[in-house]
Amino acid sequence: MSPSYPIRPVVMSEILQFMRVGEHAFNSNWPTEEFLAWETKVFEPERSLAAFDGEEIVGTTTIMSFDLIVPGGEVGMAGVTGVAVLPSHRRRGVLSSLMDTQLADISAGAEPVAALFASESVIYGRYGYGAAARHLSYDIKRGEAVLKVPANPPTMRIVDPKSAVEHLKRVHDAVRTTRPGMSSRSKAYWEVMLADPEFTREGSSAMRCVLAKDESGARGYALYSARPNWGADGLPAQVLSVRELMATDRDATVALWADVLSRDLVSEVKVRARPLDDPLLYQLADPRRTRASMTDGLWIRLIDLPVALTQRRYACDVDIVIDVIDERLPANSGRWRLEAGGLGDEGKPVCERTAADPDLTLPISALGAAYLGGTRLGALAAAGQITELRPGAVAALSAAMWWDPAPWAPTMF
């Protein structure tokens, strides 16, 4: 790092200046002081980094601590967020220095993986991140998505999201264990998530919640908001935005979708951040009417390669030597032998250094992309990111790392 831009964590008295860097970098128009009141609830100053030009903060990044569900297990995850550089200090190496310092800090701790949501997807591959969980978005017109309500549906109740938080947490935590890519949510995270300050609504209503429950308790919920609008012809043109929909069983899932997709006076339902294998696509008579579009979601970066690869499980037996390239964290570079049993094998995978000839060569970002079981290594090989040195090696590792269900990362940070 150039001595003119030293890097260090910030203290609480510097958080306002820290946040203002992001305000400029992201062209935000949120009121900084109000936003700060919520952000400080989840901000971890000891895990922040700021680059300074004199006494001015010109670049930022920080970490939120999570636990992440991975295929067959769970790992500690450094959730990277708040990455920003002042427009006046772009193209000076500030971002690279911040990211390298942050990677070194994470590698000195116990978390084997880092993750982020990329504002620009072109940036983070060079720091070893790979797109590991993708999301679907829907734009559904009223009347185009009809679902058959179950014979014994749960009871539906409109509730205040903040008052129902314990019900929401129980449903989320039950769903979370079933999906790679899902992160833990602290009490503070739930508080911020449900805060719903008016300046974030962009003309929509306050956040609302419909809860699906029976005598045993909550089985699902949908968080949503609506934007009121009437056309010049007097017809309703209101948009309902589903922020999150989760349920512990199929009937509750169908009942919730049937409810939000059939609301009166709503002309369009917008849905964001759904998993690639969303059952809704197979429950509709005409799934094309969802107008589904795909984007990248969670990006994964392996920090401690052998720990990360041995804390997940594999879909089939694999015994393979991989030659890994990691320019940012050289401790990951070199040849590793990965041995693991498939589903039902109680033994823990083994990943150790080896001098044996490699079966394939790949960058650390490719392992990050495949880590949650949702990216085919064969596709990365076809794109030129992986070099196969033994015929069949890519297919073998790809089949072992694949997982069902697909990863889903609805917890944004």
Side-chain angles (χ1 to χ4, degrees):
M1 182 66 190
S2 168
S4 59
Y5 302 120
I7 292 176
R8 64 166 172 81
V10 296
V11 295
M12 292 300 287
S13 61
E14 297 171 313
I15 292 181
L16 182 58
Q17 187 186 171
F18 185 97
M19 297 298 176
R20 280 181 171 153
V21 175
E23 183 180 274
H24 286 285
F26 289 94
N27 302 308
S28 170
N29 62 356
W30 286 0
T32 305
E33 288 79 3
E34 292 180 57
F35 177 62
L36 182 64
W38 295 109
E39 191 70 11
T40 53
K41 294 178 182 291
V42 293
F43 189 74
E44 301 178 41
E46 70 282 1
R47 307 206 73 182
S48 68
L49 289 173
F52 286 80
D53 185 351
E55 296 184 355
E56 181 185 17
I57 297 177
V58 297
T60 65
T61 184
T62 189
I63 288 171
M64 295 174 63
S65 305
F66 295 98
D67 291 319
L68 174 71
I69 297 298
V70 300
E74 185 176 36
V75 300
M77 179 186 79
V80 175
T81 187
V83 181
V85 176
L86 278 181
S88 58
H89 286 71
R90 294 175 299 157
R91 314 297 187 262
R92 300 188 190 183
V94 175
L95 175 62
S96 290
S97 295
L98 282 167
M99 299 301 288
D100 285 341
T101 302
Q102 185 178 68
L103 286 173
D105 288 352
I106 300 170
S107 66
E111 294 155 328
V113 303
L116 54 78
F117 291 91
S119 57
E120 294 184 87
S121 58
V122 71
I123 295 175
Y124 293 100
R126 66 178 181 263
Y127 301 113
Y129 289 85
R134 288 176 168 78
H135 288 163
L136 293 179
S137 295
Y138 309 143
D139 290 294
I140 306 171
K141 307 300 182 184
R142 176 173 166 79
E144 291 187 345
V146 179
L147 287 161
K148 183 178 180 181
V149 178
N152 297 297
T155 300
M156 311 296 282
R157 291 286 184 269
I158 300 295
V159 298
D160 173 62
K162 298 182 184 68
S163 300
V165 64
E166 291 304 320
H167 295 297
L168 309 188
K169 287 169 62 177
R170 281 195 291 271
V171 171
H172 171 269
D173 291 348
V175 174
R176 176 176 171 263
T177 60
T178 69
R179 282 268 186 184
M182 295 193 70
S183 304
S184 57
R185 291 178 178 175
S186 66
K187 180 180 179 180
Y189 185 96
W190 277 104
E191 186 176 351
V192 172
M193 175 183 164
L194 300 178
D196 191 38
E198 187 171 355
F199 64 83
T200 67
R201 297 176 190 168
E202 300 180 339
S204 291
S205 70
M207 184 189 299
R208 294 165 180 167
C209 179
V210 57
L211 190 69
K213 60 183 300 186
D214 59 19
E215 63 279 359
S216 65
R219 292 167 50 188
Y221 64 85
L223 297 171
Y224 63 95
S225 60
R227 178 177 293 176
N229 190 30
W230 293 84
D233 53 8
L235 296 176
Q238 302 183 24
V239 176
L240 187 147
S241 296
V242 178
R243 301 192 187 186
E244 184 166 279
L245 188 150
M246 290 193 186
T248 59
D249 61 88
R250 182 179 58 196
D251 285 356
T253 302
V254 172
L256 286 164
W257 279 122
D259 179 88
V260 298
L261 291 173
S262 64
R263 291 295 181 90
D264 294 336
L265 306 182
V266 170
S267 63
E268 184 178 6
V269 177
K270 291 184 176 292
V271 187
R272 299 293 178 265
R274 298 299 301 175
L276 285 188
D277 59 351
D278 192 351
L280 180 66
L281 295 173
Y282 305 95
Q283 292 164 334
L284 297 174
D286 188 358
R288 190 179 295 177
R289 298 293 180 174
T290 62
R291 298 169 182 83
S293 60
M294 185 185 73
T295 187
D296 55 283
L298 194 68
W299 291 60
I300 293 289
R301 209 291 182 197
L302 302 193
I303 301 295
D304 187 327
L305 182 148
V307 172
L309 292 184
T310 56
Q311 288 192 4
R312 60 155 290 174
R313 294 298 178 264
Y314 296 83
C316 60
D317 293 354
V318 64
D319 185 351
I320 198 165
V321 176
I322 56 177
D323 187 10
V324 178
I325 302 167
D326 190 345
E327 296 177 353
R328 303 281 176 173
L329 292 176
N332 290 328
S333 291
R335 300 177 185 180
W336 300 89
R337 182 177 182 181
L338 174 65
E339 297 178 84
L343 297 175
D345 190 313
E346 297 298 327
K348 184 179 180 180
V350 176
C351 185
E352 296 178 334
R353 289 280 185 188
T354 182
D357 292 339
D359 298 310
L360 54 85
T361 299
L362 75 172
I364 195 72
S365 58
L367 284 176
Y371 186 63
L372 297 179
T375 299
R376 286 289 194 186
L377 291 178
L380 300 184
Q385 295 186 28
I386 299 173
T387 301
E388 185 174 64
L389 304 173
R390 175 179 61 80
V394 170
L397 183 59
S398 184
M401 296 191 75
W402 185 256
W403 201 260
D404 196 18
W408 182 31
T411 299
M412 305 294 289
F413 52 86

